[in-house]
Amino acid sequence: MKNSVIAITFMLLAACSPKEPGLKDTFEGKFVLGAAVNVRQIMGADVKGDSVLFRHFGAVEPENCMKSAEIMPVFGQYKWDMADKYVEFGEKNGLEVYGHCLIWHSQLTPDFCYDKEGNLIGPDELKARMKQHISTVVGRYKGRIKGWDVVNEAILEDGSYRQSPFYQILGKEFIPWAFQCAHEADPDCELYYNDYSMHEPGKLNTAIEMVKDLQARGIRIDAVGFQAHIGMDYPDLDLYQGHIRRVKDETGIDVCITELDMSILPTITRSADVSMTREAWQAALNPWPDGKFPQEAQDAWNARMGEVLDMFLRNSDAVRRINVWGICDSDSWKNGWPIPGRTDAPLWVDRNYNLKPFLHKYAR
Ligand code: XIL
């Protein structure tokens, strides 16, 4: 009797032991596993989320707090509070700390590229402002951020450059300039180009050309970030794997999976069936408005995410980091985007803070 009580006590202690391996331990040597964190997690207001983070993840990305409009609401006027707390949070908890993002057309400081009259500024002025912003932010966290997304989403699906204000003023030269400024501000920091829909051949071709151009000029770039906001019906995983391999084989640099999530909901296609009523169309796009996903849909999601992870594991020589875009499903930006009012379940951890079944063979 006494022995069995002791044995049970040991089993319970082992089950609760903080040393029990988490996902980050299982994948050690394959890739670093990270998650995007929001203000609640950084401020310690999400105790359950933080405990999942510390147990299973080895790296963090800031979901919003380092974007230019957040950190610098008016050009030259910085609000460091949350970004400082983010970096301290990562360091205090032994996580690799990444930066996202320096130059992006979205969540952009409104007057970054404009003069007082609202006109686009000239090329010299923009170069000076980019240098000022990049050296201020990268310089502030010098030696503390492992890698920065330097330029985000500059290329469209067809391979043409996005007509962002940066591009309108400087053409594609804004890209090498941003990388050069970031490297000068922290020469030891890894630097990345980051984009979504990297399964689109046109986008990939231009990204590879851009990397080669930077390399030919001797400008540092360490990896291409594949955001990987994916769906149940895209991308084709053989194609995606092929694109990861192309980056590695054609440029020699790695891929980081930077914003992984996979919507369980129907994909929005641009071509609506014109004979459908608005109500029928909305019902088709939002079949489970109460967030109660049928078992079948959850099984299909787990099966596909398992295949996605297997593919990354098979290519771990080229994929140096996987970062999921949020800790648990209720955190995800995909709730309500791109269609308001939907409840999604795109992440690795469910709303009850449990790892999803496809991960159970690695950790519980
Ligand atoms: C998203 C955040 O998750 C949301 O909270 C915010 O409202 C909009 O931006 N590509 C990126 C990320 O590079 O920064 C975006 O994050 C998602 C798309």
Coordinates of all heavy atoms in Angstrom, one line a residue, residues 163-249:
Q163 N 2.8 48.7 -55.3 CA 2.9 50.2 -55.5 C 2.8 50.9 -54.1 O 1.9 51.7 -53.9 CB 1.8 50.7 -56.4 CG 2.0 50.2 -57.9 CD 3.2 50.8 -58.6 OE1 3.5 52.0 -58.4 NE2 3.9 50.0 -59.4
S164 N 3.6 50.5 -53.2 CA 3.6 51.1 -51.8 C 4.2 52.5 -52.0 O 4.9 52.8 -52.9 CB 4.4 50.3 -50.8 OG 5.8 50.4 -51.2
P165 N 4.0 53.4 -51.0 CA 4.7 54.7 -51.1 C 6.2 54.5 -51.2 O 6.8 55.3 -51.9 CB 4.3 55.4 -49.8 CG 3.3 54.5 -49.0 CD 3.1 53.3 -49.8
F166 N 6.7 53.5 -50.5 CA 8.2 53.3 -50.6 C 8.6 53.1 -52.0 O 9.6 53.6 -52.5 CB 8.6 52.1 -49.7 CG 8.3 52.3 -48.2 CD1 7.3 51.7 -47.6 CD2 9.2 53.2 -47.5 CE1 7.0 51.9 -46.3 CE2 8.9 53.4 -46.1 CZ 7.8 52.7 -45.5
Y167 N 7.8 52.2 -52.7 CA 8.2 51.9 -54.1 C 7.9 53.0 -55.0 O 8.7 53.3 -55.9 CB 7.3 50.6 -54.5 CG 7.7 50.2 -55.9 CD1 8.8 49.3 -56.1 CD2 6.9 50.6 -57.0 CE1 9.1 48.9 -57.4 CE2 7.3 50.1 -58.3 CZ 8.4 49.3 -58.5 OH 8.7 48.9 -59.7
Q168 N 6.8 53.7 -54.8 CA 6.5 54.9 -55.6 C 7.6 55.9 -55.6 O 7.9 56.6 -56.6 CB 5.2 55.5 -55.2 CG 4.0 54.7 -55.6 CD 2.7 55.3 -55.0 OE1 2.4 56.5 -55.3 NE2 2.0 54.6 -54.3
I169 N 8.2 56.1 -54.5 CA 9.3 57.1 -54.3 C 10.7 56.6 -54.8 O 11.4 57.3 -55.5 CB 9.3 57.6 -52.9 CG1 8.0 58.3 -52.5 CG2 10.5 58.6 -52.7 CD1 7.8 58.6 -51.0
L170 N 11.0 55.4 -54.4 CA 12.4 54.9 -54.6 C 12.5 53.7 -55.6 O 13.6 53.3 -55.8 CB 13.0 54.5 -53.2 CG 13.4 55.6 -52.3 CD1 13.8 55.0 -50.9 CD2 14.6 56.3 -52.9
G171 N 11.3 53.3 -56.1 CA 11.4 52.0 -56.9 C 11.9 50.9 -56.0 O 12.0 51.0 -54.7
K172 N 12.4 49.8 -56.6 CA 12.8 48.7 -55.7 C 14.1 48.9 -55.0 O 14.4 48.1 -54.1 CB 12.9 47.4 -56.6 CG 13.8 47.4 -57.7 CD 13.7 46.1 -58.5 CE 14.8 46.2 -59.6 NZ 14.8 45.0 -60.4
E173 N 14.7 50.1 -55.2 CA 15.9 50.4 -54.4 C 15.6 50.6 -52.9 O 16.5 50.6 -52.1 CB 16.6 51.7 -55.0 CG 17.4 51.5 -56.2 CD 18.5 50.4 -56.0 OE1 19.3 50.6 -55.0 OE2 18.6 49.4 -56.7
F174 N 14.3 50.8 -52.6 CA 14.1 50.9 -51.1 C 14.4 49.7 -50.4 O 14.7 49.7 -49.2 CB 12.6 51.4 -50.9 CG 11.6 50.2 -50.8 CD1 11.3 49.6 -49.6 CD2 10.9 49.8 -52.0 CE1 10.3 48.6 -49.5 CE2 10.0 48.8 -51.9 CZ 9.7 48.2 -50.7
I175 N 14.5 48.5 -51.1 CA 14.8 47.3 -50.4 C 16.2 47.1 -50.0 O 16.5 47.0 -48.8 CB 14.2 46.1 -51.2 CG1 12.7 46.2 -51.4 CG2 14.6 44.8 -50.5 CD1 12.1 45.2 -52.3
P176 N 17.2 47.2 -50.9 CA 18.6 47.1 -50.5 C 18.9 48.2 -49.5 O 19.7 48.0 -48.5 CB 19.4 47.3 -51.8 CG 18.4 47.6 -52.8 CD 17.1 47.2 -52.4
W177 N 18.3 49.4 -49.6 CA 18.6 50.5 -48.7 C 18.2 50.1 -47.3 O 18.9 50.3 -46.3 CB 17.9 51.8 -49.2 CG 18.1 53.0 -48.2 CD1 17.2 53.6 -47.5 CD2 19.4 53.6 -48.0 NE1 17.8 54.6 -46.8 CE2 19.1 54.6 -47.0 CE3 20.7 53.4 -48.4 CZ2 20.1 55.5 -46.6 CZ3 21.7 54.2 -47.9 CH2 21.4 55.3 -47.0
A178 N 17.0 49.5 -47.2 CA 16.5 49.1 -45.8 C 17.4 48.1 -45.2 O 17.8 48.2 -44.0 CB 15.1 48.6 -45.9
F179 N 17.8 47.1 -46.0 CA 18.7 46.1 -45.4 C 20.1 46.7 -45.0 O 20.6 46.3 -44.0 CB 18.9 44.9 -46.5 CG 17.8 43.9 -46.5 CD1 16.6 44.2 -47.1 CD2 17.9 42.8 -45.7 CE1 15.6 43.3 -47.1 CE2 16.9 41.8 -45.7 CZ 15.7 42.1 -46.4
Q180 N 20.6 47.6 -45.9 CA 21.9 48.2 -45.6 C 21.8 49.0 -44.2 O 22.7 48.9 -43.4 CB 22.2 49.1 -46.7 CG 23.7 49.5 -46.8 CD 24.0 50.3 -48.0 OE1 23.5 50.0 -49.1 NE2 24.6 51.4 -47.8
C181 N 20.7 49.7 -44.1 CA 20.6 50.5 -42.8 C 20.4 49.6 -41.6 O 21.0 49.9 -40.6 CB 19.3 51.4 -42.9 SG 19.4 52.7 -44.2
A182 N 19.7 48.5 -41.8 CA 19.5 47.6 -40.6 C 20.9 47.0 -40.3 O 21.2 46.8 -39.1 CB 18.5 46.5 -41.0
H183 N 21.6 46.6 -41.3 CA 22.9 45.9 -41.0 C 23.9 46.9 -40.3 O 24.6 46.5 -39.4 CB 23.5 45.4 -42.3 CG 24.8 44.7 -42.1 ND1 24.9 43.6 -41.3 CD2 26.1 45.0 -42.6 CE1 26.2 43.2 -41.3 NE2 26.9 44.0 -42.1
E184 N 23.9 48.2 -40.8 CA 24.8 49.1 -40.1 C 24.4 49.4 -38.7 O 25.2 49.5 -37.8 CB 24.7 50.5 -40.9 CG 25.6 50.5 -42.1 CD 25.3 51.7 -43.0 OE1 24.6 52.7 -42.6 OE2 25.7 51.6 -44.2
A185 N 23.1 49.3 -38.4 CA 22.6 49.5 -37.0 C 22.9 48.4 -36.1 O 23.1 48.6 -34.9 CB 21.1 49.8 -37.0
D186 N 23.0 47.2 -36.6 CA 23.3 46.0 -35.7 C 24.0 44.9 -36.6 O 23.3 44.0 -37.1 CB 22.1 45.5 -35.0 CG 22.4 44.4 -34.0 OD1 23.6 44.0 -34.0 OD2 21.5 43.9 -33.3
P187 N 25.3 45.0 -36.8 CA 25.9 44.1 -37.7 C 25.8 42.6 -37.4 O 26.0 41.8 -38.3 CB 27.4 44.5 -37.6 CG 27.4 45.9 -37.0 CD 26.2 46.0 -36.2
D188 N 25.5 42.3 -36.2 CA 25.4 40.8 -35.9 C 23.9 40.3 -36.0 O 23.7 39.1 -35.8 CB 25.8 40.6 -34.4 CG 27.3 40.9 -34.3 OD1 28.0 40.7 -35.2 OD2 27.7 41.4 -33.2
C189 N 23.0 41.2 -36.3 CA 21.6 40.8 -36.4 C 21.3 40.1 -37.7 O 21.7 40.5 -38.7 CB 20.8 42.0 -36.2 SG 19.0 41.7 -36.0
E190 N 20.4 39.0 -37.6 CA 20.0 38.4 -38.8 C 18.9 39.2 -39.5 O 18.1 39.9 -38.8 CB 19.4 37.0 -38.5 CG 20.4 36.0 -38.0 CD 19.8 34.6 -37.7 OE1 18.6 34.4 -38.0 OE2 20.6 33.8 -37.3
L191 N 18.9 39.2 -40.8 CA 17.9 40.1 -41.5 C 17.1 39.3 -42.5 O 17.7 38.4 -43.3 CB 18.7 41.2 -42.3 CG 19.7 42.0 -41.4 CD1 20.4 43.1 -42.3 CD2 19.0 42.8 -40.2
Y192 N 15.8 39.5 -42.6 CA 14.9 38.7 -43.4 C 14.1 39.6 -44.3 O 13.7 40.7 -43.9 CB 14.0 37.9 -42.5 CG 14.6 37.3 -41.3 CD1 14.1 37.5 -40.0 CD2 15.7 36.4 -41.4 CE1 14.7 37.0 -38.9 CE2 16.3 35.8 -40.3 CZ 15.8 36.1 -39.0 OH 16.3 35.6 -37.9
Y193 N 13.7 39.0 -45.5 CA 12.6 39.5 -46.3 C 11.4 38.6 -46.0 O 11.5 37.4 -46.0 CB 12.9 39.5 -47.8 CG 11.7 39.9 -48.6 CD1 11.3 41.2 -48.6 CD2 10.9 38.9 -49.2 CE1 10.1 41.5 -49.2 CE2 9.8 39.3 -49.9 CZ 9.4 40.6 -49.9 OH 8.2 40.9 -50.5
N194 N 10.2 39.2 -45.7 CA 9.1 38.4 -45.3 C 7.9 38.7 -46.2 O 7.6 39.8 -46.5 CB 8.8 38.9 -43.9 CG 7.8 38.0 -43.1 OD1 8.0 36.8 -43.1 ND2 6.8 38.6 -42.5
D195 N 7.1 37.6 -46.6 CA 6.0 37.8 -47.4 C 5.0 36.7 -47.3 O 5.3 35.6 -46.9 CB 6.4 38.0 -48.9 CG 5.5 39.0 -49.6 OD1 4.3 39.1 -49.4 OD2 6.0 39.7 -50.5
Y196 N 3.7 36.9 -47.7 CA 2.7 35.9 -47.7 C 2.6 35.3 -49.1 O 3.3 35.7 -50.1 CB 1.3 36.5 -47.3 CG 0.8 37.5 -48.2 CD1 0.0 37.2 -49.2 CD2 1.1 38.9 -48.0 CE1 -0.5 38.2 -50.1 CE2 0.7 39.9 -48.8 CZ -0.2 39.5 -49.9 OH -0.6 40.5 -50.7
S197 N 1.8 34.3 -49.3 CA 1.5 33.6 -50.6 C 2.8 33.2 -51.3 O 2.9 33.5 -52.5 CB 0.6 34.5 -51.5 OG -0.7 34.5 -51.0
M198 N 3.8 32.7 -50.6 CA 5.0 32.4 -51.2 C 4.9 31.1 -52.1 O 5.9 30.7 -52.7 CB 6.1 32.2 -50.2 CG 6.5 33.5 -49.4 SD 7.1 34.8 -50.5 CE 8.7 34.2 -51.0
H199 N 3.7 30.5 -52.2 CA 3.5 29.4 -53.1 C 3.2 30.0 -54.5 O 3.2 29.2 -55.5 CB 2.3 28.6 -52.7 CG 1.1 29.3 -52.5 ND1 0.8 30.1 -51.4 CD2 0.0 29.4 -53.3 CE1 -0.4 30.7 -51.6 NE2 -0.9 30.3 -52.7
E200 N 3.0 31.3 -54.6 CA 2.8 31.9 -56.0 C 4.1 32.0 -56.7 O 5.0 32.7 -56.3 CB 2.2 33.3 -55.8 CG 0.8 33.3 -55.2 CD -0.3 32.9 -56.2 OE1 0.0 32.7 -57.4 OE2 -1.4 32.6 -55.8
P201 N 4.2 31.3 -57.9 CA 5.5 31.3 -58.6 C 6.0 32.6 -58.9 O 7.3 32.9 -58.8 CB 5.2 30.4 -59.8 CG 4.0 29.7 -59.5 CD 3.2 30.5 -58.5
G202 N 5.2 33.5 -59.3 CA 5.6 34.9 -59.7 C 6.3 35.6 -58.5 O 7.3 36.2 -58.6
K203 N 5.6 35.5 -57.4 CA 6.1 36.1 -56.2 C 7.5 35.5 -55.8 O 8.4 36.2 -55.5 CB 5.1 36.0 -55.0 CG 5.6 36.7 -53.8 CD 4.5 36.7 -52.7 CE 3.5 37.8 -52.8 NZ 2.9 38.3 -51.6
L204 N 7.5 34.2 -55.8 CA 8.8 33.5 -55.4 C 9.9 33.9 -56.4 O 11.0 34.2 -55.9 CB 8.6 32.0 -55.4 CG 9.9 31.3 -55.0 CD1 9.9 31.2 -53.5 CD2 10.1 29.9 -55.6
N205 N 9.6 33.9 -57.7 CA 10.7 34.3 -58.6 C 11.3 35.7 -58.3 O 12.5 35.8 -58.3 CB 10.2 34.3 -60.1 CG 9.9 32.9 -60.6 OD1 10.4 31.9 -60.1 ND2 9.0 32.8 -61.6
T206 N 10.4 36.6 -58.1 CA 10.9 38.0 -57.8 C 11.7 38.0 -56.5 O 12.7 38.7 -56.4 CB 9.7 39.0 -57.8 OG1 9.1 38.9 -59.1 CG2 10.2 40.4 -57.6
A207 N 11.2 37.3 -55.5 CA 11.9 37.3 -54.2 C 13.3 36.7 -54.4 O 14.2 37.2 -53.8 CB 11.1 36.5 -53.2
I208 N 13.4 35.6 -55.1 CA 14.7 35.0 -55.3 C 15.6 36.0 -56.1 O 16.8 36.2 -55.7 CB 14.6 33.7 -56.1 CG1 14.0 32.6 -55.1 CG2 15.9 33.2 -56.7 CD1 13.7 31.2 -55.7
E209 N 15.1 36.7 -57.1 CA 15.9 37.7 -57.8 C 16.4 38.8 -56.9 O 17.5 39.2 -56.9 CB 14.9 38.4 -58.8 CG 15.2 38.2 -60.3 CD 14.1 38.8 -61.1 OE1 13.7 40.0 -60.8 OE2 13.5 38.1 -61.9
M210 N 15.5 39.2 -56.0 CA 15.8 40.2 -55.0 C 16.9 39.8 -54.1 O 17.9 40.5 -53.8 CB 14.6 40.6 -54.2 CG 14.7 41.7 -53.3 SD 13.4 41.8 -52.2 CE 13.7 40.4 -51.2
V211 N 16.8 38.5 -53.6 CA 17.9 38.0 -52.7 C 19.2 38.0 -53.4 O 20.2 38.4 -52.9 CB 17.5 36.6 -52.2 CG1 18.7 36.0 -51.4 CG2 16.2 36.6 -51.3
K212 N 19.2 37.5 -54.7 CA 20.4 37.4 -55.4 C 21.0 38.8 -55.7 O 22.2 39.0 -55.7 CB 20.2 36.7 -56.8 CG 19.9 35.2 -56.7 CD 19.8 34.7 -58.0 CE 19.7 33.1 -58.0 NZ 19.3 32.6 -59.3
D213 N 20.1 39.8 -55.9 CA 20.6 41.1 -56.1 C 21.3 41.7 -54.8 O 22.4 42.3 -54.9 CB 19.4 42.0 -56.5 CG 19.8 43.5 -56.6 OD1 20.7 43.8 -57.4 OD2 19.3 44.3 -55.9
L214 N 20.7 41.4 -53.7 CA 21.3 41.8 -52.4 C 22.7 41.1 -52.3 O 23.7 41.7 -51.9 CB 20.4 41.5 -51.2 CG 19.1 42.3 -51.1 CD1 18.2 41.7 -50.0 CD2 19.4 43.7 -50.8
Q215 N 22.7 39.8 -52.5 CA 23.9 39.1 -52.4 C 25.0 39.6 -53.3 O 26.2 39.8 -52.9 CB 23.7 37.6 -52.6 CG 22.8 36.9 -51.5 CD 22.4 35.5 -51.9 OE1 22.2 35.2 -53.0 NE2 22.3 34.7 -50.8
A216 N 24.6 39.9 -54.6 CA 25.6 40.4 -55.5 C 26.2 41.8 -55.1 O 27.3 42.1 -55.4 CB 24.9 40.6 -56.9
R217 N 25.4 42.5 -54.3 CA 25.9 43.8 -53.8 C 26.6 43.7 -52.5 O 27.0 44.7 -51.9 CB 24.8 44.8 -53.7 CG 24.0 45.1 -54.9 CD 23.0 46.2 -54.6 NE 21.9 46.3 -55.5 CZ 21.1 47.3 -55.5 NH1 21.3 48.4 -54.8 NH2 20.0 47.3 -56.3
G218 N 26.7 42.5 -52.0 CA 27.3 42.3 -50.7 C 26.5 42.7 -49.5 O 27.0 43.1 -48.4
I219 N 25.2 42.8 -49.7 CA 24.3 43.2 -48.6 C 23.7 42.0 -47.8 O 23.3 41.1 -48.5 CB 23.2 44.1 -49.1 CG1 23.7 45.4 -49.8 CG2 22.2 44.5 -48.0 CD1 22.7 46.3 -50.4
R220 N 23.8 42.1 -46.5 CA 23.4 40.9 -45.7 C 21.9 40.6 -45.8 O 21.0 41.5 -45.7 CB 23.7 41.2 -44.3 CG 23.3 40.0 -43.4 CD 23.9 40.1 -42.0 NE 23.5 38.9 -41.2 CZ 24.0 38.5 -40.1 NH1 25.0 39.2 -39.6 NH2 23.6 37.4 -39.5
I221 N 21.6 39.3 -46.1 CA 20.2 38.8 -45.9 C 20.4 37.4 -45.5 O 21.1 36.6 -46.1 CB 19.3 38.9 -47.2 CG1 17.9 38.3 -46.9 CG2 20.0 38.4 -48.5 CD1 16.8 38.7 -47.9
D222 N 19.7 37.0 -44.4 CA 19.9 35.7 -43.9 C 18.8 34.6 -44.2 O 19.1 33.4 -44.2 CB 19.9 35.8 -42.3 CG 21.1 36.5 -41.9 OD1 21.1 37.8 -41.8 OD2 22.2 35.9 -41.7
A223 N 17.6 35.1 -44.5 CA 16.5 34.1 -44.7 C 15.4 34.8 -45.4 O 15.2 36.1 -45.3 CB 16.1 33.4 -43.4
V224 N 14.5 34.0 -46.1 CA 13.3 34.5 -46.6 C 12.2 34.0 -45.7 O 12.1 32.8 -45.4 CB 13.0 34.1 -48.1 CG1 11.7 34.5 -48.6 CG2 14.1 34.6 -49.0
G225 N 11.3 34.9 -45.2 CA 10.2 34.5 -44.4 C 9.0 34.2 -45.2 O 8.6 35.0 -46.0
F226 N 8.5 32.9 -45.1 CA 7.3 32.5 -45.7 C 6.2 32.7 -44.6 O 6.3 32.0 -43.6 CB 7.3 31.1 -46.1 CG 8.0 30.7 -47.3 CD1 9.2 31.4 -47.7 CD2 7.6 29.7 -48.2 CE1 9.9 31.0 -48.9 CE2 8.3 29.3 -49.3 CZ 9.4 30.0 -49.7
Q227 N 5.3 33.7 -44.7 CA 4.4 33.9 -43.6 C 3.5 32.7 -43.3 O 3.3 32.4 -42.2 CB 3.4 35.1 -44.0 CG 4.2 36.4 -44.0 CD 3.2 37.6 -44.2 OE1 2.0 37.4 -44.3 NE2 3.8 38.8 -44.3
A228 N 3.1 32.0 -44.4 CA 2.3 30.8 -44.2 C 1.0 31.0 -43.5 O 0.6 30.2 -42.6 CB 3.1 29.7 -43.6
H229 N 0.2 32.0 -44.0 CA -1.2 32.1 -43.6 C -1.9 31.2 -44.6 O -2.2 31.7 -45.7 CB -1.7 33.5 -43.7 CG -1.0 34.4 -42.7 ND1 -1.2 34.3 -41.3 CD2 -0.2 35.5 -42.9 CE1 -0.4 35.2 -40.7 NE2 0.2 35.9 -41.6
I230 N -2.2 30.0 -44.3 CA -2.6 29.0 -45.3 C -4.1 28.6 -45.0 O -4.7 29.0 -44.0 CB -1.7 27.8 -45.4 CG1 -1.6 27.0 -44.1 CG2 -0.3 28.3 -45.8 CD1 -0.7 25.8 -44.1
G231 N -4.6 27.7 -45.9 CA -5.9 27.3 -45.8 C -6.0 25.8 -46.0 O -5.1 25.1 -46.3
M232 N -7.3 25.3 -45.9 CA -7.5 23.8 -46.0 C -7.3 23.4 -47.5 O -7.0 22.2 -47.7 CB -8.9 23.5 -45.6 CG -9.1 23.6 -44.1 SD -8.0 22.5 -43.1 CE -8.6 20.9 -43.7
D233 N -7.4 24.3 -48.4 CA -7.3 24.0 -49.8 C -6.1 24.6 -50.6 O -6.0 24.6 -51.8 CB -8.6 24.2 -50.6 CG -9.1 25.7 -50.3 OD1 -8.4 26.4 -49.6 OD2 -10.2 26.0 -50.9
Y234 N -5.3 25.3 -49.9 CA -4.1 25.9 -50.5 C -3.0 26.1 -49.4 O -3.4 26.3 -48.2 CB -4.4 27.2 -51.2 CG -4.6 28.4 -50.2 CD1 -3.6 29.2 -49.9 CD2 -5.8 28.6 -49.6 CE1 -3.8 30.3 -49.0 CE2 -6.0 29.6 -48.7 CZ -5.0 30.4 -48.4 OH -5.2 31.4 -47.5
P235 N -1.8 26.1 -49.7 CA -1.2 25.8 -51.0 C -1.0 24.3 -51.1 O -1.1 23.5 -50.1 CB 0.2 26.4 -50.9 CG 0.6 26.3 -49.5 CD -0.7 26.4 -48.7
D236 N -0.8 23.8 -52.3 CA -0.4 22.4 -52.6 C 1.0 22.2 -51.9 O 1.9 23.0 -52.1 CB -0.3 22.2 -54.1 CG 0.2 20.8 -54.4 OD1 -0.6 19.9 -54.5 OD2 1.5 20.6 -54.5
L237 N 1.0 21.2 -51.1 CA 2.2 21.1 -50.2 C 3.5 20.6 -51.0 O 4.6 21.0 -50.6 CB 2.0 20.1 -49.1 CG 0.9 20.6 -48.1 CD1 0.9 19.7 -46.8 CD2 1.2 22.0 -47.6
D238 N 3.3 19.9 -52.1 CA 4.5 19.6 -53.0 C 5.0 20.9 -53.6 O 6.2 21.1 -53.6 CB 4.1 18.6 -54.1 CG 3.9 17.2 -53.5 OD1 4.3 17.0 -52.4 OD2 3.1 16.5 -54.1
L239 N 4.1 21.7 -54.0 CA 4.5 23.0 -54.6 C 5.3 23.9 -53.5 O 6.3 24.4 -53.8 CB 3.3 23.8 -55.1 CG 3.5 25.2 -55.7 CD1 4.1 25.1 -57.0 CD2 2.2 26.0 -55.7
Y240 N 4.7 23.9 -52.3 CA 5.2 24.7 -51.2 C 6.6 24.2 -50.9 O 7.6 25.0 -50.7 CB 4.3 24.6 -50.0 CG 4.3 25.9 -49.2 CD1 4.1 27.1 -49.7 CD2 4.4 25.8 -47.8 CE1 4.1 28.3 -48.9 CE2 4.4 26.9 -47.0 CZ 4.2 28.2 -47.6 OH 4.2 29.3 -46.8
Q241 N 6.8 22.9 -50.8 CA 8.1 22.3 -50.5 C 9.1 22.7 -51.6 O 10.2 23.0 -51.3 CB 7.9 20.8 -50.4 CG 9.3 20.1 -50.4 CD 9.1 18.6 -50.2 OE1 9.1 18.1 -49.0 NE2 8.9 17.8 -51.2
G242 N 8.6 22.6 -52.8 CA 9.5 23.0 -54.0 C 10.0 24.4 -53.8 O 11.1 24.7 -54.2
H243 N 9.1 25.3 -53.4 CA 9.5 26.7 -53.2 C 10.5 26.9 -52.1 O 11.4 27.7 -52.2 CB 8.3 27.6 -53.1 CG 7.5 27.8 -54.4 ND1 6.6 28.8 -54.6 CD2 7.6 27.1 -55.6 CE1 6.2 28.7 -55.9 NE2 6.8 27.7 -56.4
I244 N 10.3 26.1 -51.0 CA 11.3 26.2 -49.9 C 12.7 25.7 -50.5 O 13.7 26.4 -50.3 CB 10.9 25.3 -48.7 CG1 9.6 25.9 -48.1 CG2 12.0 25.1 -47.7 CD1 9.0 25.0 -47.0
R245 N 12.6 24.6 -51.2 CA 13.9 24.1 -51.8 C 14.5 25.1 -52.8 O 15.7 25.3 -52.8 CB 13.7 22.8 -52.5 CG 13.1 21.7 -51.7 CD 14.1 20.8 -50.9 NE 15.4 21.3 -50.6 CZ 16.0 21.2 -49.4 NH1 15.4 20.8 -48.4 NH2 17.3 21.7 -49.3
R246 N 13.7 25.8 -53.5 CA 14.2 26.7 -54.5 C 15.0 27.8 -53.8 O 16.1 28.2 -54.3 CB 13.1 27.3 -55.4 CG 12.8 26.4 -56.6 CD 11.9 27.1 -57.6 NE 12.6 28.3 -58.2 CZ 12.0 29.3 -58.8 NH1 10.7 29.2 -59.0 NH2 12.7 30.3 -59.2
V247 N 14.4 28.4 -52.7 CA 15.1 29.4 -52.0 C 16.5 28.9 -51.6 O 17.5 29.5 -51.8 CB 14.3 29.9 -50.8 CG1 15.1 30.8 -49.9 CG2 13.0 30.6 -51.2
K248 N 16.5 27.7 -50.9 CA 17.7 27.2 -50.4 C 18.7 26.9 -51.6 O 19.9 27.2 -51.5 CB 17.4 25.9 -49.6 CG 18.6 25.2 -49.0 CD 19.0 26.0 -47.8 CE 20.2 25.3 -47.1 NZ 20.7 26.1 -46.0
D249 N 18.2 26.2 -52.6 CA 19.1 25.8 -53.7 C 19.6 26.9 -54.5 O 20.8 26.9 -55.0 CB 18.4 24.7 -54.5 CG 18.1 23.5 -53.7 OD1 18.6 23.3 -52.6 OD2 17.2 22.7 -54.2

